[in-house]
Amino acid sequence: MVAGRNIKSVMGDKIVKHASVLLESTDGRLIFHHRDNKPNIVNPDYIGTFGGGLEQGEDFTDAAIRELKEELNLVVQKNDLMLFADYKKILKNGKELHVKIFLVKDIHPEKLVLNPNEGQDLVFISKNDDWQDYKLTPLVREMLEKYKKCHEK
């Protein structure tokens, strides 16, 4: 799973870099988006995080901030982003995928508006929900397991 742009658009380098953001609402639910059902995007019609590829000159936090603004008109500052996970994987084409996943807490869901062309809808998942009932991207499924373990302690 890589939320956001078509992965082919950012694969010029040996390492594909993405920033991904896990949003937690003020009532403790996690907020995702239901990705568009378009065959030219990664994980069409799945539930994913907000985020996307790094643009030239950006670091991971800059990309996360930009993507939240583009996708939700949500303005966050660098100190709002908590590094949740640093994920690396070798893709089938031999390139390395590097995703930094940030957590942003205390989001007011009633203020969120998914911008046109940024997905089908917002999806709210409680830590008590049965996540198997959702069509989640593989990375979101891994993130949710980690999130659940962090909150069991």
Side-chain angles (χ1 to χ4, degrees), residues 3-55:
R5 303 186 200 292
N6 181 337
I7 203 166
K8 292 177 186 169
S9 67
V10 293
M11 290 183 65
D13 296 327
K14 183 77 173 150
I15 301 175
V16 179
K17 296 179 181 179
H18 282 259
S20 187
V21 185
L22 183 60
L23 299 176
E24 183 181 291
S25 69
T26 52
D27 63 6
R29 293 179 297 163
L30 298 174
I31 307 166
F32 300 96
H33 79 290
H34 186 178
R35 295 178 55 74
D36 286 320
N37 191 12
K38 297 177 183 175
N40 64 329
I41 66 170
V42 176
N43 297 313
D45 203 34
Y46 275 76
I47 294 171
T49 58
F50 302 95
L54 276 65
E55 293 182 356

Side-chain angles (χ1 to χ4, degrees), residues 36-82:
D36 286 320
N37 191 12
K38 297 177 183 175
N40 64 329
I41 66 170
V42 176
N43 297 313
D45 203 34
Y46 275 76
I47 294 171
T49 58
F50 302 95
L54 276 65
E55 293 182 356
Q56 186 148 356
E58 282 186 321
D59 63 20
F60 287 94
T61 55
D62 293 333
I65 290 167
R66 177 184 48 76
E67 289 287 347
L68 289 175
K69 176 73 172 145
E70 287 177 5
E71 295 176 8
L72 293 167
N73 285 324
L74 179 63
V75 177
V76 299
Q77 306 301 316
K78 283 191 177 198
N79 61 349
D80 295 325
L81 298 169
M82 295 177 280

Side-chain angles (χ1 to χ4, degrees), residues 98-147:
H98 186 186
V99 182
K100 286 197 179 188
I101 304 158
F102 299 96
L103 175 65
V104 178
K105 292 185 173 192
D106 299 323
I107 299 296
H108 295 271
E110 67 278 1
K111 295 181 180 178
L112 296 178
V113 178
L114 188 63
N115 286 327
N117 302 315
E118 292 293 350
Q120 298 179 52
D121 204 356
L122 297 175
V123 177
F124 297 85
I125 301 177
S126 165
K127 44 188 172 216
N128 298 323
D129 287 348
D130 183 359
W131 299 335
Q132 303 309 315
D133 294 341
Y134 294 93
K135 188 176 177 183
L136 304 172
T137 64
L139 184 55
V140 167
R141 202 166 288 286
E142 285 181 43
M143 287 172 29
L144 284 171
E145 289 302 322
K146 180 177 179 173
Y147 181 85

